[in-house]
Amino acid sequence: KPIQFAEGYYDFGAAKTYNKNNVNGRWGNRYAIRRQAWWASFLSGSAGQAYGAEAIWYHNRDGETWQKAIGYNSLKDTRYLMRFVQSVKWWTLKPDTGHSFLLNGYGTYLKDDYALAAINQERTLAVIYTPVTHSFQLDIPPAMRPVLFMQWFDPANGTYRQINKSEYKLDGNILAITSPKVNSSGQQDWVLQVGT
């Protein structure tokens, strides 16, 4: 049965200040909301997630209006996620829960630093979301090596950057790569797409 993440942190615009984990009660800033959206995406096996902005359902609370809410950056980030999902064969990907592809550098499960990966059965397409800078070790199968293509996706502005060979090290079937320091929003989350 499909599972969807129905309710998490809501964006409350400028009406809230956030702690070091980017949350305040049931509200989260742009980064926290983007993190939960990617964690609740196809990478975890979910059928999706619902986006929430406080001013949409609780009109004019603390000066935040629905007109402001439709301009929130977190809503734009949700659109970038949707566009990314539509650009890959997401339905062929399965969560890499056993770490057979993302071998090392994924952080701690159930913590804010945890990186999620999914890979297709043929091992010709994989996607990783990392909320913080990580140095990954990936198991690149022989069929993928000769035609290896990798790119970073900035989840805060929807742009791609192809990765050249000087940015990673391939030793046998183990590929070592470190995610970029910060994205366009000043946070450390990135998406790595690996394929042929």
Side-chain angles (χ1 to χ4, degrees), residues 30-45:
R30 175 186 186 186
Y31 177 47
I33 291 170
R34 188 170 60 239
R35 255 190 345 236
Q36 83 179 3
W38 279 93
W39 283 335
S41 72
F42 63 97
L43 298 173
S44 66

Side-chain angles (χ1 to χ4, degrees), residues 15-35:
K16 294 289 177 190
T17 56
Y18 302 97
N19 65 23
K20 67 178 185 167
N21 291 328
N22 307 289
V23 296
N24 179 342
R26 70 174 193 222
W27 302 285
N29 68 8
R30 175 186 186 186
Y31 177 47
I33 291 170
R34 188 170 60 239
R35 255 190 345 236

Side-chain angles (χ1 to χ4, degrees), residues 36-184:
Q36 83 179 3
W38 279 93
W39 283 335
S41 72
F42 63 97
L43 298 173
S44 66
S46 171
Q49 60 98 27
Y51 168 80
E54 188 75 11
I56 299 289
W57 76 274
Y58 199 135
H59 303 298
N60 301 321
R61 184 174 180 189
D62 293 338
E64 292 298 302
T65 64
W66 69 266
Q67 292 92 339
K68 285 183 184 178
I70 61 174
Y72 286 170
N73 284 322
S74 60
L75 180 59
K76 294 174 188 173
D77 294 343
T78 304
R79 286 188 202 121
Y80 302 140
L81 168 57
M82 182 184 72
R83 288 179 191 151
F84 181 87
V85 170
Q86 292 172 338
S87 75
V88 297
K89 294 181 180 178
W90 60 269
W91 61 93
T92 67
L93 298 171
K94 292 184 180 179
D96 183 31
T97 55
H99 301 292
S100 66
F101 172 69
L102 176 53
L103 303 174
N104 207 341
Y106 42 80
T108 306
Y109 183 63
L110 296 180
K111 298 291 182 184
D112 287 343
D113 71 340
Y114 192 65
L116 281 178
I119 188 166
N120 66 1
Q121 185 173 350
E122 297 78 22
R123 296 180 70 82
T124 57
L125 173 64
V127 178
I128 300 169
Y129 170 76
T130 181
V132 297
T133 302
H134 276 300
S135 292
F136 296 130
Q137 286 187 331
L138 310 177
D139 182 15
I140 304 297
M144 190 184 275
R145 280 182 235 150
V147 286
L148 183 62
F149 173 80
M150 295 192 300
Q151 61 184 355
W152 290 111
F153 176 77
D154 182 343
N157 71 7
T159 61
Y160 294 87
R161 183 176 65 78
Q162 190 169 343
I163 298 168
N164 62 51
K165 289 184 179 182
S166 65
E167 297 178 71
Y168 63 88
K169 181 181 177 185
L170 184 59
D171 185 7
N173 64 325
I174 305 299
L175 186 142
I177 188 167
T178 300
S179 58
K181 297 295 182 199
V182 294
N183 61 32
S184 61

